[in-house]
Amino acid sequence: MNLTISGHHLEVTPALRSYVAEKLDRITRHFDQVVDIKVLLSVDKLTEKDLRQKAECNIHVKGKDIFAESAHADLYAAVDELADKLDRQVLRHKDKLQEHHHDSAKRTLQ
């Protein structure tokens, strides 16, 4: 699995890099067919101060690309929300794969 973390208008510190890697580790525990993860952390120049910190992620898993983004006043909170969104999407994708294989196994037995 390749993990790429980049920053736009901010420097990605080692603490921030390890925090993102720790949060995204949960996804690889739930679904082991993750090929590539690309994370983009950015600070937008918005008039609203509440949604300036933004985290985006593209995950390439076997058979599908998954995208999620999150904006928050705190970058760590944005990463938390992003990890939750990605986790739900990956689990939904995993369930669809398992249900599909389960249905085909039933058809071959009949």
Side-chain angles (χ1 to χ4, degrees):
M1 176 191 78
N2 296 327
L3 175 62
T4 306
I5 302 171
S6 58
H8 187 79
H9 296 298
L10 76 110
E11 180 184 343
V12 181
T13 62
L16 187 59
R17 186 177 301 276
S18 66
Y19 186 77
V20 171
E22 176 186 321
K23 287 295 180 177
L24 294 179
D25 185 45
R26 182 173 67 182
I27 293 167
T28 58
R29 275 187 278 143
H30 287 153
F31 191 66
D32 59 349
Q33 296 177 350
V34 176
V35 177
D36 190 30
I37 299 177
K38 294 180 182 173
V39 180
L40 176 65
L41 306 173
S42 62
V43 178
D44 292 334
K45 295 181 180 179
L46 295 174
T47 57
E48 297 179 34
K49 299 291 184 192
D50 295 340
L51 302 176
R52 285 186 63 188
Q53 313 288 329
K54 190 174 178 183
E56 302 175 9
C57 185
N58 281 319
I59 296 181
H60 180 71
V61 295
K62 185 177 176 185
K64 187 174 182 174
D65 288 335
I66 298 172
F67 175 78
E69 66 181 350
S70 174
H72 205 275
D74 180 32
L75 189 58
Y76 288 95
V79 170
D80 288 341
E81 190 176 314
L82 177 74
D84 291 340
K85 287 180 181 183
L86 288 170
D87 196 33
R88 282 193 301 269
Q89 289 184 25
V90 166
L91 286 176
R92 191 177 321 127
H93 177 66
K94 181 180 177 182
D95 288 343
K96 284 182 181 180
L97 287 178
Q98 288 176 345
E99 288 174 8
H100 177 71
H101 291 301
H102 188 267
D103 289 342
S104 65
K106 278 185 182 177
R107 288 185 196 132
T108 58
L109 293 175
Q110 292 177 352

